[in-house]
Every structure is written in structure tokens, then in C-alpha cells.
Amino acid sequence: MAFFSDDDASQYQIRSSKNMTYKMRGDMKKLLPVTTFLLGAALTAALVFLNAALDVNWRPSALALWGNGTQPTPNPKTKALTELAEVLKNASMEDGTVIMTSINQAYAAPGSLLDLFLESFRVGEGTAHLLDHVLIVAVDPGALRRCRLVHRHCYLLRRSPGAVDYSGEKHFMTKDYLDMMWGRNRFQQTILELGFNFLFTDIDIMWFRNPLRHIAITSDVAIASDFFNGDPESMGNRPNGGFLYVRSANRTVEFYRRWRRARRRFPAGTNEQEILGRAQRELSRRSGVRMQFLDTAHCGGFCQLSGDMGRVCTLHANCCTGLANKVHDLRNVLRDWRNYTAAPPEDRRVGGFQWTRPGRCIR
């Protein structure tokens, strides 16, 4: 992948224009076909517009050759990126934002977390339409097959030969779990490099209202906290990467690069969330990124359970390990939500509705 500054983009446009002028004035036999000329001009204009609009000057090397009427030899990496870009385009909102989650075969099984996740959108207030913008990334073929049975936008994250099989449950902080989390981190960076914003949500998060309205327009990164200290800009908040919004920009790509490089400074076995929590002040300052920590009253979880169902947008089965425990307690969450939404409006205004204590997760 190549990154270019705004000056690079301008020089590319100037060089392309000069080349086209030369061809127009040269020997008529050397003229490019009209269709190729128009295609090159259109793509040049599109690239300049994309650079200005998204502030991410990424393009596959394939696009660099289109202006000269040359098509490169396809390679697996370029093909995979092209496929991913098309999937993202189909799922994205008008502003280029994609809601994204990831699953393996264990999470995707009937009655498991995937079913609960999708159901929460359907029973939430004004959230059903958001499913049109949810991209489910499957980390194994079994998860992909199940995804395609129940959802529209699915993508298989291909593994290199001999890589770890992620289809089974991965227990917290095991080697396979850590590999999966750092792989997810790199994939998120790729989404930004392709020019799309993303809101990543763990599959064990229930969606009841649209949380995007609580993300400031000035925030480059907005992230949930297990425990919110009351100040959305305080670096004293401990981030939870299971709910993470990132705006596509050169500075956020650099943020991810530095995040990944910071891994070298920590003991082996440190996960990406712990490193972010300990280095977020440095990472945001050096990358020029503005971070926002989300109030647990809106985007909370089992660690700091919101007591007001009238404000909650998402609820995360955090501070909890074990797939069976999460599924059990999240079923209770959905039942509590249905009881709340089925109540008369006057009862809802009075309040008093409470979540069932997540007894399998919090003991």
C-alpha cells in the first residue's frame, strides 16, 4: 500500500495533465484511444477528490497505472484489497462509515452471540436500519457460512497457510486470543487505509439505540471505557477496544502504526487494549489524534452497568469471561429490554426499570 501527501497528489495531477497535453499535440498515431483518455482523466479527478475529502491518500499500485492506460498483472494481495473495498463500499453509510464486528464459528453458532447481536438491532429503538451498514468479518469458513445465512454483508478474513485455526472459542489472554486481537488491530488499520471510517463493536455488545449521536464530530477516535471517570477527554479513562470508532485520516493511520510498534516496549503477552491504555496519551499526542472516551451511561456494560434504560445505547458483556456465561447473561439483558419497551410510555417516563444482575458474569 502507498501513502501520499497532498503535495504528492497535486504533482500527480500536474504530471498526468502534462502527459495528456503532450499526447494531444504529438503524432496522431500516438494518441491514446478516447475511452482510455477519458477514463484516465476521470480516475485522476476522483483520486484528487478522494484525497481532499478523506485526507487519506491511499491507492493500490494498480490505480497508479490506470492513468497511463496500463493494467498491472493481478496479484493475490491486490485482489483481496479490491474485494474488501467493494464489500466496505456496499455496507458503508453516506459518510463512508461502516459498523464492523468479527466472529468465529463458536460465536456464530445458532443461539450463540451472533444471533443475540442481530436480535438487539431488531428490538432496539431506531436501530434496525443500521443492520444495512453492519459488516461481519468471519475469521474462519464455518463462521462465514453461518453469517451468509443470517446477514447481508459478510467477509472472510483469509489466513495464511499454517496459521492458527480461530474457529473455536479463544479464552481470554491465551496466545491464540492475543494473536486474534492483534490481527484484528491490523485489519482495522487496513480499513482506514482504504478510506473508510469504522465503528468496531464486539459481538457481545447489544445495540438498543444509535450510539453515533454521542460521538463528537471533532473526535478522531472515540472509545468505550470499562469505568468512565466523567471526563470524555481524560486520559485517565481506561479504554475498552471492544467498542471503538475511528475516523479515516492520515493521522489515525499513524496512530495505529505507533500503537502496533509500541508492542515492542511491553512484555510478551500484553494485549492491544492494555498497551493502548498505558500509551494512549503519547500515541494521541504524537499522531495529532483527538480521543473521546464514551460515557458508560450511553455505551456501558457489565463492569459499570447503566441504571437508566432511557439513556442506554449499547451494553457490553465486559468484565466477563466464558462464552456460555456471556450468552446466558445477555439473554437476560434482551428480556429486560423487551419488558422495558413493552411498558406503557407513562411507566417508562417514571423509570424504575432495572437490568437483571449478570449473575454468571459478575459474582
Side-chain angles (χ1 to χ4, degrees):
M1 300 178 186
F3 288 85
F4 302 95
S5 67
D6 292 339
D7 289 340
D8 292 333
S10 299
Q11 290 300 317
Y12 174 77
Q13 186 181 22
I14 292 170
R15 288 196 300 270
S16 297
S17 300
K18 288 181 177 179
N19 289 341
M20 292 175 185
T21 302
Y22 175 80
K23 290 179 175 64
M24 291 292 291
R25 293 176 179 175
D27 191 336
M28 291 300 293
K29 293 182 181 180
K30 296 181 180 179
L31 280 173
L32 293 173
V34 174
T35 54
T36 303
F37 172 80
L38 292 176
L39 179 60
L43 281 172
T44 300
L47 283 169
V48 173
F49 173 79
L50 185 64
N51 292 338
L54 296 178
D55 192 32
V56 174
N57 306 310
W58 177 92
R59 63 184 178 191
S61 59
L63 291 182
L65 300 175
W66 271 106
N68 295 326
T70 304
Q71 297 188 36
T73 302
N75 64 72
K77 185 176 181 180
T78 300
K79 182 178 180 181
L81 288 172
T82 302
E83 178 187 351
L84 176 58
E86 185 65 22
V87 172
L88 290 166
K89 178 183 176 182
N90 292 338
S92 64
M93 303 176 190
E94 289 185 0
D95 67 347
T97 299
V98 176
I99 301 170
M100 182 173 63
T101 191
S102 61
I103 57 170
N104 62 9
Q105 189 168 346
Y107 296 165
S112 191
L113 291 175
L114 176 59
D115 286 350
L116 299 179
F117 177 78
L118 296 175
E119 184 179 355
S120 73
F121 281 86
R122 299 185 186 110
V123 301
E125 293 183 346
T127 51
H129 76 282
L130 293 175
L131 285 172
D132 292 336
H133 306 294
V134 173
L135 172 62
I136 298 176
V137 179
V139 298
D140 60 80
L144 179 68
R145 288 192 294 271
R146 169 66 177 157
C147 177
R148 286 176 171 170
L149 291 175
V150 296
H151 189 64
R152 176 183 175 188
H153 303 297
C154 305
Y155 177 79
L156 177 63
L157 188 61
R158 293 173 177 83
R159 298 181 297 118
S160 58
V164 175
D165 180 5
Y166 293 126
S167 60
E169 180 182 359
K170 299 304 173 188
H171 296 284
F172 184 65
M173 295 306 291
T174 61
K175 183 182 183 303
D176 286 355
Y177 173 88
L178 292 170
D179 288 345
M180 187 165 62
M181 292 299 98
W182 281 109
R184 183 179 80 179
N185 182 277
R186 183 61 185 88
F187 183 73
Q188 290 173 351
Q189 180 180 325
T190 300
I191 303 301
L192 299 175
E193 291 168 350
L194 287 168
F196 292 88
N197 317 315
F198 69 79
L199 199 171
F200 179 83
T201 168
D202 273 345
I203 197 70
D204 61 345
I205 295 180
M206 302 294 98
W207 282 57
F208 298 129
R209 295 185 179 91
N210 188 350
L212 286 166
R213 60 186 178 180
H214 296 291
I215 296 174
I217 193 171
T218 55
S219 297
D220 297 308
V221 174
I223 191 166
S225 304
D226 287 338
F227 300 94
F228 181 62
N229 69 10
D231 181 357
E233 296 184 356
S234 170
M235 293 296 168
N237 286 296
R238 301 292 291 176
N240 186 310
F243 192 84
L244 171 66
Y245 169 84
V246 186
R247 192 184 312 279
S248 179
N250 288 336
R251 58 188 175 275
T252 53
V253 171
E254 180 62 19
F255 179 89
Y256 264 80
R257 286 175 175 163
R258 291 180 178 273
W259 185 359
R260 291 170 59 78
R261 287 200 298 266
R263 186 180 185 185
R264 306 168 191 164
R265 309 200 310 258
F266 291 84
T270 308
N271 68 7
E272 86 295 349
Q273 182 171 291
E274 177 66 17
I275 290 175
L276 177 61
R278 294 169 65 179
Q280 59 195 9
R281 186 185 302 274
E282 171 195 346
L283 294 176
S284 59
R285 177 176 56 82
R286 293 193 173 184
S287 304
V289 162
R290 182 170 181 177
M291 291 186 68
Q292 174 190 356
F293 296 89
L294 299 168
D295 192 335
T296 50
H298 302 128
C299 302
F302 291 166
C303 297
Q304 193 173 35
L305 200 58
S306 172
D308 188 351
M309 290 191 186
R311 298 175 64 193
V312 67
C313 293
T314 61
L315 197 152
H316 190 181
N318 53 9
C319 290
C320 181
T321 59
L323 177 58
N325 294 334
K326 288 176 180 283
V327 169
H328 177 274
D329 286 351
L330 287 176
R331 283 176 179 162
N332 289 338
V333 166
L334 284 172
R335 183 198 61 205
D336 294 342
W337 175 259
R338 290 195 198 91
N339 291 338
Y340 167 76
T341 55
E346 55 271 20
D347 290 348
R348 293 174 58 178
R349 283 194 294 269
V350 171
F353 292 89
Q354 298 291 326
W355 302 107
T356 299
R357 184 177 183 275
R360 290 279 188 92
C361 289
I362 309 296
R363 299 181 184 179

